[in-house]
Amino acid sequence: MTGTAGGRRATMAEVAREAGVSVMTVSYAYGRPDRVSADTRARVREAAERLGYPGPHPGARSLRRGRTGNLGVVLGEHLTYAFDDPQAARFLAGVAQVCADHGMGLTLVPMTGGPGDANRVAEAAVDGFVVWTTADDDPVIDAIAALGLPAVVHGGPLRDDLPFVAADDRAAAETAGREAFSGAHRPAVLGFPLDRTRATGVFPGIDPAAATFRVTRQRLHGFRDAWTATGKPWEQVRVAVCSTNNAREADALATGLLTGPDPCDAIAAMSDELALGVLRAAARLGVDVPGDLAVTGWDDTEAAAAAELTTIAQSLRDQGARCARVALGAPPRPGTPGLLTGGWSGAARPAAPDRARPAPTPSPPATPVARSCRSCGEVERRSG
């Protein structure tokens, strides 16, 4: 390899002169090799090797073709969340499968919550976006909409100008809440962040409208629907807010809910990961599940099945795949544009325990009994 003077990058024109062909022929040799004979391709490659020419810059090829061959996934989380969180991993697996089926690459675009997020999105070399659930007031959503590229939002926010895919969180939460709160006297909800500040704490009867994350808001609405249907005020329900979907954080908050003079006898969690944190706290404290404490989760993960946890079943992998297909231009579902709700099914195994007795005394930990309230259902909304 001789390279060029001064160690600069060789150009396509220099390769063409070295090989004795036109610049267009060099371009075809790399980008459309079927249009060039094998001998000519070999001559071009040999000339490129002598000059140290690595081939056309990917960005230049993208500009000529008008596409990058990559689909961007915007995470409203730290980049490591994509690998640490089991629900995010399932969602991304669905996106990745569709990308692989279409010969596309996948680019993760993590958000930091800082002023540079909108620029990071604007500069991403992608053909479209899938947005993992974020807050209603996240400026990144406006930045994505302004680009004019195909984009779809998962979970929220729900906007008129972007397609939307999500589970019917309110109806599913009401189903889980009816199971968790049946016969309860001291219920609690263990939930996701309310807004982008991600403040944690335990609060009585949070107004669902205070949550700017749509998923959190809709699930709070559903849990409130379930509790108030018993004729009791929502203010009786303690809402423990986690900053992330993390079992360790849930364990710490659940410990507070299960100790003291007024321990909870029912906890409805917004994810299996959070519910598993509750089960760990209960086992450590000697609280019997489900005898003294009813626990429900969300997502029907393998870990939840192993723990025989009552949960809501939804396929985040399927939702990720659906988002990717929409972002890549899949045709709309048949029917009238708007909010489309999937079907539901429920099955309850043994009845909820009788909680009319006095506050429980510590007892050896027990394996949770499966009392399954499973539901499937997705909502898809398309703009236009």
Side-chain angles (χ1 to χ4, degrees), residues 240 328 373:
L328 294 178
C373 57

Side-chain angles (χ1 to χ4, degrees), residues 149-282:
L149 292 174
V152 58
V153 176
H154 175 262
L158 175 61
R159 294 170 51 120
D160 292 334
D161 56 348
L162 292 174
F164 174 83
V165 173
D168 189 343
D169 289 288
R170 183 168 184 165
E174 183 177 4
T175 299
R178 285 199 305 267
E179 177 71 13
F181 301 153
S182 176
H185 299 285
R186 300 174 300 279
V189 170
L190 187 59
F192 296 146
L194 297 175
D195 53 42
R196 291 194 296 147
T197 67
R198 296 181 179 271
T200 64
V202 179
F203 312 93
I206 289 176
D207 181 358
T212 59
F213 280 100
R214 182 183 179 277
V215 170
T216 304
R217 182 169 64 248
Q218 292 297 98
R219 294 186 187 184
L220 285 175
H221 272 301
F223 290 133
R224 184 177 68 176
D225 293 343
W227 180 250
T228 56
T230 67
K232 299 172 185 176
W234 173 239
E235 290 71 24
Q236 291 182 355
V237 180
R238 282 169 276 182
V239 179
V241 179
C242 296
S243 63
T244 59
N245 184 37
N246 182 277
R248 184 177 303 173
E249 187 175 354
D251 184 333
L253 283 169
T255 298
L257 294 172
L258 297 175
T259 54
D262 197 25
C264 289
D265 57 0
I267 299 179
M270 290 191 185
S271 75
D272 287 345
E273 193 74 3
L274 299 184
L276 291 170
V278 175
L279 295 182
R280 293 176 195 173

Side-chain angles (χ1 to χ4, degrees), residues 48-334:
E49 176 69 19
R50 288 194 297 273
L51 295 176
Y53 178 68
H57 191 279
R61 288 200 301 268
S62 297
L63 287 173
R64 288 196 302 273
R65 296 173 181 172
R67 60 188 297 274
T68 68
N70 292 305
L71 180 63
V73 177
V74 178
L75 288 169
E77 307 281 351
H78 191 279
L79 183 57
T80 57
Y81 185 86
F83 305 94
D84 293 337
D85 183 80
Q87 283 70 45
R90 284 177 173 80
F91 180 82
L92 289 170
V95 176
Q97 183 60 61
V98 173
C99 287
D101 292 343
H102 287 75
M104 297 281 290
L106 190 156
T107 300
L108 296 180
V109 187
M111 298 294 103
T112 65
D117 286 349
N119 288 337
R120 186 176 296 108
V121 164
E123 294 170 359
V126 298
D127 297 323
F129 291 98
V130 171
V131 183
W132 175 261
T133 183
T134 188
D136 298 339
D137 58 350
D138 191 337
V140 166
I141 298 295
D142 288 330
I144 290 172
L147 291 174
L149 292 174
V152 58
V153 176
H154 175 262
L158 175 61
R159 294 170 51 120
D160 292 334
D161 56 348
L162 292 174
F164 174 83
V165 173
D168 189 343
D169 289 288
R170 183 168 184 165
E174 183 177 4
T175 299
R178 285 199 305 267
E179 177 71 13
F181 301 153
S182 176
H185 299 285
R186 300 174 300 279
V189 170
L190 187 59
F192 296 146
L194 297 175
D195 53 42
R196 291 194 296 147
T197 67
R198 296 181 179 271
T200 64
V202 179
F203 312 93
I206 289 176
D207 181 358
T212 59
F213 280 100
R214 182 183 179 277
V215 170
T216 304
R217 182 169 64 248
Q218 292 297 98
R219 294 186 187 184
L220 285 175
H221 272 301
F223 290 133
R224 184 177 68 176
D225 293 343
W227 180 250
T228 56
T230 67
K232 299 172 185 176
W234 173 239
E235 290 71 24
Q236 291 182 355
V237 180
R238 282 169 276 182
V239 179
V241 179
C242 296
S243 63
T244 59
N245 184 37
N246 182 277
R248 184 177 303 173
E249 187 175 354
D251 184 333
L253 283 169
T255 298
L257 294 172
L258 297 175
T259 54
D262 197 25
C264 289
D265 57 0
I267 299 179
M270 290 191 185
S271 75
D272 287 345
E273 193 74 3
L274 299 184
L276 291 170
V278 175
L279 295 182
R280 293 176 195 173
R284 190 178 62 256
L285 297 169
V287 177
D288 177 60
V289 179
D292 298 320
L293 175 68
V295 181
T296 60
W298 198 297
D299 291 321
D300 198 23
T301 60
E302 292 178 3
E308 297 184 297
L309 177 69
T310 299
T311 188
I312 293 292
Q314 66 169 346
S315 175
L316 282 169
R317 185 179 183 121
D318 288 349
Q319 291 179 31
R322 180 173 297 176
C323 285
R325 287 192 291 268
V326 171
L328 294 178
R333 283 181 165 189

Side-chain angles (χ1 to χ4, degrees), residues 331-337 340 380 382:
R333 283 181 165 189
T336 304
L340 304 177
E380 180 176 333
R382 289 183 168 272

